[in-house]
Amino acid sequence: MAATKRKRRGGLAVKAKRPKRNEKDARPPAKQRDMAEEAEEEERDRIPGPVCKGKWKNKERILIFSSRGINFRTRHLMQDLRMLMPHSKADTKMDRKDKLFVINEVCEMKNCNKCIYFEAKKKQDLYMWLSNSPHGPSAKFLVQNIHTLAELKMTGNCLKGSRPLLSFDPAFDELPHYALLKELLIQIFSTPRYHPKSQPFVDHVFTFTILDNRIWFRNFQIIEEDAALVEIGPRFVLNLIKIFQGSFGGPTLYENPHYQSPNMHRRVIRSITAAKYKEKQQVKDAQKLRKKEPKTILPHDPTADVFVTPAEEKPIEIQWVKPEPKVDLKARKKRVYKRQRKMKQKVNSGNAK
């Protein structure tokens, strides 16, 4: 029997309405299978959403700042690194009188766990600290051959905030201190995935090459057509000094035996130039002493005049008469011309009267 409904006021029973059948349910089962297959094909061909929809898990933050006394080139290099690393933060310059352990507190205040600190000395030497704050390790480098983005006129370009590839020399895996530096560089220079300020593109590569006991940094653009590399900049060379167990100090894990301080380098250059000057002075003094020495007179060699033929002796003539003076023809001509000029002037003045 069909279900019935009663009115509130108590009347006759009314038949309940049957629910309408959906058009999809009305179709035969074969058509439903076709629709399911089409939905699966669409799911396969669907382009996935942008990468930025993922979850940001790697919370690496880099603090990039410097001490007082840096020059314009270092300031531009700092700005270029901040531009290339969207996960970096900036801070005010630190006073040179403060100790380096204070940087760990600054990193904690800025919520950063890595640090790149530029330390200037004598307004001409630049040192770079790479540190894992607050527990370490940390490494100190001497920065040489700095070229910034504004200085280099390169044709390469990349999207601001894009994630870079990191390319390392195979020599990083051969020695233990280079392996430690490789891990430190990876954690500092690699942009975390799904970072809010990063772009979901990979269009440039950071290369770290070991040559002449130094680390050479270069930044290249990856061209999409043929995957060729075009340099963007900046570029600099890192000369390793020491690796410490702690952050900005602690026991020394490695000390570079090939490192030469800038003061010693300048001292060697000055000593070389001084040695050249001393050598020149010694040569001049030796020449003066040779001139002052008496000349050694050699005895006459009788065999030296064997092939000498004596010349005919001419009779000596004594001139008793004074020679006539030579006539200067040019002076005579000048005197003649003066006379003619004076005569013409007299004639012209008489005619005018």
Side-chain angles (χ1 to χ4, degrees):
M1 289 179 64
T4 57
K5 283 187 178 181
R6 290 186 178 182
K7 291 185 178 180
R8 288 183 181 178
R9 294 180 182 179
L12 295 171
V14 182
K15 288 184 179 180
K17 293 182 181 179
R18 293 183 180 180
K20 290 183 179 179
R21 294 183 67 187
N22 195 359
E23 292 180 0
K24 293 182 180 179
D25 298 336
R27 292 181 183 175
K31 287 187 177 181
Q32 290 181 359
R33 288 176 201 157
D34 295 341
M35 288 181 66
E37 290 176 359
E38 288 178 3
E40 287 178 2
E41 289 179 0
E42 287 179 0
E43 188 66 25
R44 285 180 209 150
D45 300 336
R46 187 176 65 83
I47 299 171
V51 185
C52 58
K53 284 186 178 180
K55 192 175 180 181
W56 177 33
K57 295 180 181 178
N58 185 6
K59 303 289 184 178
E60 294 283 348
R61 295 182 184 88
I62 316 299
L63 180 64
I64 302 177
F65 72 118
S66 69
S67 66
R68 296 192 181 277
I70 60 171
N71 54 9
F72 71 97
R73 198 184 297 273
T74 308
R75 188 174 68 253
H76 284 287
L77 176 63
M78 245 185 353
Q79 291 172 357
D80 294 344
L81 289 177
R82 288 171 187 164
M83 193 186 304
L84 292 171
M85 300 163 68
H87 60 297
S88 64
K89 289 187 177 183
D91 195 24
T92 56
K93 294 178 182 178
M94 197 177 80
D95 196 358
R96 283 181 288 184
K97 294 180 182 178
D98 294 339
K99 294 185 178 179
L100 295 176
F101 294 103
V102 181
I103 300 176
N104 295 324
E105 298 177 5
V106 177
C107 291
E108 189 177 355
M109 290 167 58
K110 289 281 185 178
N111 197 17
C112 296
N113 50 8
K114 299 287 186 297
C115 180
I116 299 177
Y117 175 65
F118 292 96
E119 185 180 7
K121 290 185 179 179
K122 294 188 175 181
K123 295 186 178 180
Q124 56 184 346
D125 302 329
L126 180 66
Y127 298 92
M128 178 194 282
W129 284 85
L130 301 180
S131 174
N132 181 19
S133 179
H135 304 296
S138 59
K140 186 179 181 181
F141 300 90
L142 174 68
V143 187
Q144 299 171 324
N145 301 335
I146 301 172
H147 297 279
T148 59
L149 276 170
E151 182 183 351
L152 290 174
K153 295 182 179 178
M154 299 292 182
T155 56
N157 195 4
C158 67
L159 184 68
K160 184 178 179 181
S162 60
R163 300 178 66 225
L165 293 175
L166 299 182
S167 172
F168 287 91
D169 195 297
F172 275 97
D173 299 326
E174 295 176 0
L175 296 173
H177 63 277
Y178 280 136
L180 177 61
L181 289 177
K182 179 181 178 181
E183 185 61 32
L184 190 62
L185 292 170
I186 287 172
Q187 293 182 16
I188 289 176
F189 284 93
S190 60
T191 302
R193 197 178 181 190
Y194 305 127
H195 192 276
K197 292 184 180 179
S198 67
Q199 299 291 337
F201 303 102
V202 178
D203 58 354
H204 65 288
V205 54
F206 292 159
T207 62
F208 298 91
T209 312
I210 295 174
L211 182 66
D212 194 20
N213 298 314
R214 292 170 174 82
I215 299 174
W216 301 65
F217 174 85
R218 295 289 183 272
N219 180 21
F220 294 97
Q221 177 196 359
I222 304 171
I223 299 176
E224 295 180 1
E225 288 79 10
D226 53 354
L229 298 178
V230 181
E231 188 169 358
I232 305 170
R235 56 162 70 166
F236 52 88
V237 180
L238 299 176
N239 190 359
L240 178 63
I241 302 173
K242 283 184 181 181
I243 300 176
F244 300 96
Q245 185 176 351
S247 178
F248 296 100
T252 303
L253 299 179
Y254 175 77
E255 186 174 358
N256 188 7
H258 307 285
Y259 171 71
Q260 187 182 40
S261 66
N263 292 334
M264 184 60 68
H265 181 66
R266 286 190 286 268
R267 182 182 174 185
V268 169
I269 291 173
R270 284 197 300 268
S271 63
I272 290 170
T273 52
K276 287 182 180 179
Y277 178 74
K278 284 181 182 177
E279 189 177 354
K280 287 181 182 179
Q281 288 296 116
Q282 287 174 1
V283 171
K284 287 182 181 179
D285 295 341
Q287 288 176 354
K288 287 180 181 178
L289 289 173
R290 270 191 226 128
K291 287 179 181 178
K292 289 179 180 179
E293 288 178 359
K295 295 181 180 178
T296 54
I297 299 170
L298 297 173
H300 179 68
D301 188 6
T303 60
D305 301 333
V306 172
F307 299 102
V308 175
T309 55
E312 295 180 0
E313 294 183 1
K314 294 182 180 180
I316 299 171
E317 294 182 359
I318 299 172
Q319 193 173 2
W320 299 99
V321 184
K322 184 181 177 181
E324 294 181 0
K326 292 182 180 179
V327 180
D328 192 359
L329 297 175
K330 288 184 179 180
R332 186 181 286 180
K333 283 182 181 180
K334 283 182 181 179
R335 286 195 293 270
V336 171
Y337 289 146
K338 278 185 181 179
R339 286 177 200 157
Q340 289 177 357
R341 231 180 277 124
K342 285 180 181 178
M343 291 294 293
K344 283 182 182 179
Q345 287 176 1
K346 286 181 182 179
V347 171
N348 292 334
S349 60
N351 293 334
K353 289 178 182 179

